[in-house]
């Protein structure tokens, strides 16, 4: 289950990266990403978080390597990224860039912690 969560969240991170570059290119006259693309990104992240929460209910992993709590830390970070991402989506056209940066920081930090937990655990 941890492997599935890692793959789904990795896909959400890749989609978020593509959306961010697409959004930044909108300043050059290119249209912004459609709403459905952001919703698909959020849905992938939410599914990945759900899979991670299911994986955390299973047998403990990573205690011998010192990464035992990384799964829970990643889940909290992804939960925060999901909440902030919903705020970004709700304020789609007029949201402050700081909100987007907070969403990105939480998600990328959670992803790195998740990868450490999945690989070392």
């Amino acid at each position: 289950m941890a492997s599935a969560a890692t793959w789904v969240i990795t896909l959400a991170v890749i989609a978020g990266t593509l959306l961010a570059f697409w959004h930044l290119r909108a300043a050059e006259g290119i249209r912004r990403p459609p709403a459905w693309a952001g919703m698909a990104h959020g849905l992938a992240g939410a599914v990945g978080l759900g899979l991670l929460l299911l994986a955390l209910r299973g047998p403990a992993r990573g205690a011998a390597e010192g990464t035992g709590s990384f799964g829970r830390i990643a889940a909290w970070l992804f939960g925060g990224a999901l909440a902030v991402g919903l705020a970004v989506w709700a304020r789609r056209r007029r949201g402050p860039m700081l909100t987007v940066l907070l969403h990105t920081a939480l998600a990328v930090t959670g992803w790195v912690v998740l990868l450490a937990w999945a690989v070392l655990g």
Side-chain angles (χ1 to χ4, degrees):
M1 192 67 63
S3 178
T6 303
W7 279 108
V8 171
I9 290 173
T10 298
L11 289 175
V13 168
I14 291 169
T17 302
L18 294 174
L19 282 171
F21 285 127
W22 190 354
H23 187 76
L24 290 172
R25 298 250 352 241
E28 300 172 4
I30 296 173
R31 287 183 20 172
R32 288 183 177 198
W36 64 263
M39 286 187 251
H41 162 67
L43 180 63
V47 168
L49 176 58
L51 289 171
L52 177 58
L53 292 173
L54 288 174
L56 289 172
R57 296 185 71 194
R61 57 186 292 150
E65 293 82 9
T67 61
S69 63
F70 282 21
R72 279 178 272 138
I73 292 168
W76 278 104
L77 288 166
F78 288 132
L82 183 61
V84 175
L86 287 171
V88 168
W89 181 76
R91 302 179 57 152
R92 183 158 157 73
R93 298 279 183 216
R94 51 192 195 288
M97 186 56 98
L98 183 61
T99 310
V100 175
L101 292 175
L102 177 61
H103 170 73
T104 303
L106 289 169
V108 170
T109 303
W111 184 60
V112 170
V113 172
L114 174 67
L115 288 177
W117 180 70
V119 171
L120 299 175

